Amino acid sequence: MMPAARPLILLCSPGDKRSAGIQQARSRLGLPPALLIPYHELLQGASLGELLEQHMRAAQAVPLLRLESPGGSFEAERALIALGAPDAEEQDDSLHPFAQQRDPYPLSARVAGRLKDMPGVLHHPSQWFRGYCRLLARVQREAAALLPAARWQNHPGDIAAMTDKRRTQQLLAAAGVPVPRPLGGSQPPDGYESLRERMLTERMHRVFIKLAYGSAASGVIAYQVNPATGAELAVTTIGVEQYVTRPPVYYNAGKLRRYTDPAVLKGIINWLYSHGAYAEQWIPKAGAAGGSFDIRQLVVLGEAGHSVARVSTTPITNLHLRSRRMTPLEAGLTEAEQEQVRRTAVQALTAFPRSAVAGIDVLVSSGSGGVKRTYVADVNPFGDLLYDVKYEGLGTYEWEMKKLMEYRIIST
């Protein structure tokens, strides 16, 4: 007999696709709805205890706590930037993997609170992440005091580490998970000049540069240098607005752009590194349907389930950039190669032992001598929003809820 389900407390943006999908999945499985704790109320100063009392939902069993993505709302973005300010009331940086690194041009809480909604503009990524880590630390602290027996689906500390790509790759490498080789090793570049110097020194002429806390390809550059001529080419979603009397504004253009002008590239790359960036070897991807692809593989409690191949004629394969969706089989992977992808993804999640669910981005190399290798490019704690993909006849959220009912959740 299947054990009784734990009550689910969901910290989220109520009404978005994620919270709605979870509620629908629970309804289909005959489970009680999750208790929704809105991020915007937490960011306005309400405590977790106040919100639980306000919603009149005292848990009779040990609850499961799930943190959803805080994205999708400019109000939340602005509040998190304010929470990351040097003069913010909350100063707990214990979950920030690189808390000692200063944020460039920090905004006061008051100035951050007056930021205007400019679609796509990357206002202050590093201060946003500092605020996010402070929110995670506060929620963890309040939950420990209020619900000491509760279990986290994904621990706040793991979520902070997964969100910072630099820390993610450190933990994956330490766990023996195959990852693209980081440029610079223990001495990574800190800007445009050192990036080019290390690329030439290490003969790594093609790299991916990633904003440490970017999502949906925001802040990603596929960058290459011709070692003979020094000519540069970058493909990225980053757009830039240049001004005469004030600094340029960088934004997510929502589509791919190509840059070859060294002056423009220097500005973009230096801006990325000022907020925190990571560069890694560009792994040539396996090909399918006239393009190349990688795999988003969902892992829940040590089992690899739903997967989708993201096929693109460009180096960046995110689906919202008009990449094609295929099954791994349609993309040409044999069953043995698909199993290799699954093993690699499961191994990746073991690097985060306090977490049960993640979407793992797995690179499949084009292969040398016909032998394909797999590498983990990213670990997404919120990587389960996959449309029209079934596993064992279930959508992603239904499968997750079923799995979480069947097994004991990891402790806090």
Side-chain angles (χ1 to χ4, degrees):
M1 179 179 296
M2 186 176 292
R6 299 178 186 273
L8 177 62
I9 299 173
L10 182 63
L11 285 72
C12 64
S13 299
D16 69 0
K17 294 177 181 179
R18 297 173 183 276
S19 62
I22 290 170
Q23 295 291 48
Q24 290 169 5
R26 293 182 68 82
S27 176
R28 292 189 186 110
L29 293 171
L31 299 173
L35 169 58
L36 306 185
I37 302 296
Y39 276 124
H40 76 268
E41 294 189 38
L42 289 170
L43 289 167
Q44 288 172 357
S47 71
L48 186 59
E50 289 170 342
L51 294 175
L52 285 173
E53 182 179 359
Q54 173 185 327
H55 288 280
M56 305 293 290
R57 179 74 174 274
Q60 299 299 315
V62 177
L64 173 65
L65 294 164
R66 175 175 174 135
L67 288 153
E68 265 303 338
S69 169
S73 161
F74 174 71
E75 288 72 20
E77 178 185 356
R78 180 171 55 198
L80 288 170
I81 294 172
L83 187 58
D87 60 344
E89 292 185 11
E90 176 67 57
Q91 293 286 324
D92 185 350
D93 290 333
S94 59
L95 296 187
H96 194 307
F98 300 94
Q100 74 284 0
Q101 295 183 5
R102 297 186 62 183
D103 302 323
Y105 313 111
L107 305 177
S108 69
R110 182 178 179 183
V111 171
R114 295 201 303 261
L115 289 171
K116 302 298 183 183
D117 186 3
M118 303 168 65
V121 169
L122 303 170
H123 282 287
H124 205 307
S126 60
Q127 191 165 314
W128 174 91
F129 182 64
R130 188 174 297 276
Y132 184 44
C133 288
R134 288 175 177 177
L135 176 65
L136 291 173
R138 189 190 119 199
V139 167
Q140 179 188 350
R141 185 173 65 245
E142 292 179 356
L146 185 68
L147 302 165
R151 301 292 183 262
W152 290 101
Q153 176 184 291
N154 286 358
H155 191 275
D158 278 359
I159 289 177
M162 292 181 197
T163 305
D164 189 313
K165 298 182 190 331
R166 299 166 297 183
R167 184 60 179 152
T168 296
Q169 297 306 88
Q170 288 177 349
L171 292 173
L172 291 173
V177 179
V179 295
R181 181 161 61 95
L183 180 66
S186 61
Q187 294 184 314
D190 57 8
Y192 176 80
E193 299 296 346
S194 58
L195 174 85
R196 285 176 56 87
E197 178 185 348
R198 283 169 174 73
M199 288 176 69
L200 294 173
T201 300
E202 299 180 23
R203 297 183 179 180
M204 193 186 295
H205 303 133
R206 304 172 79 216
V207 298
F208 271 84
I209 309 166
K210 301 177 180 180
L211 179 64
Y213 354 90
S215 62
S218 178
V220 175
I221 307 176
Y223 176 71
Q224 54 188 307
V225 176
N226 185 312
T229 66
E232 305 166 75
L233 173 62
V235 177
T236 179
T237 59
I238 299 174
V240 56
E241 290 287 346
Q242 301 282 3
Y243 299 94
V244 175
T245 58
R246 58 188 178 96
V249 171
Y250 299 97
Y251 61 94
N252 185 351
K255 58 183 179 180
L256 293 176
R257 299 191 170 189
R258 294 166 62 91
Y259 296 100
T260 58
D261 184 336
V264 174
L265 284 167
K266 181 177 181 179
I268 293 174
I269 291 170
N270 281 341
W271 181 82
L272 282 179
Y273 271 98
S274 73
H275 283 278
Y278 173 81
E280 66 186 15
Q281 179 186 9
W282 179 334
I283 302 294
K285 301 182 185 77
S292 58
F293 68 91
D294 60 12
I295 303 291
R296 166 63 61 88
Q297 176 69 63
L298 179 62
V299 177
V300 177
L301 289 168
E303 182 177 348
H306 303 71
S307 61
V308 59
R310 308 182 300 185
V311 185
S312 176
T313 57
T314 74
I316 300 176
T317 59
N318 296 69
L319 291 173
H320 73 286
L321 298 174
R322 299 179 182 272
S323 296
R324 295 178 58 189
R325 298 159 52 98
M326 292 185 177
T327 67
L329 179 62
E330 289 170 340
L333 292 185
T334 66
E335 178 53 41
E337 291 165 345
Q338 292 178 57
E339 179 58 27
Q340 184 180 348
V341 168
R342 292 190 285 265
R343 285 197 307 269
T344 300
V346 168
Q347 184 186 3
L349 191 53
T350 65
F352 303 89
R354 300 173 296 177
S355 294
V357 177
I360 315 295
D361 290 343
V362 181
L363 303 176
V364 182
S365 74
S366 55
S368 176
V371 178
K372 294 183 173 69
R373 299 183 183 276
T374 50
Y375 304 84
V376 173
D378 200 9
V379 178
N380 188 333
F382 314 119
D384 52 2
L385 185 61
L386 299 176
Y387 298 109
D388 303 321
V389 182
K390 299 287 186 179
Y391 179 72
E392 296 181 344
L394 300 173
T396 54
Y397 292 131
E398 290 175 86
W399 184 63
E400 283 177 24
M401 296 299 127
K402 184 171 181 288
K403 291 279 291 180
L404 294 170
M405 279 196 296
E406 293 171 350
Y407 294 93
R408 178 179 294 277
I409 302 300
I410 52 181
S411 64
T412 55

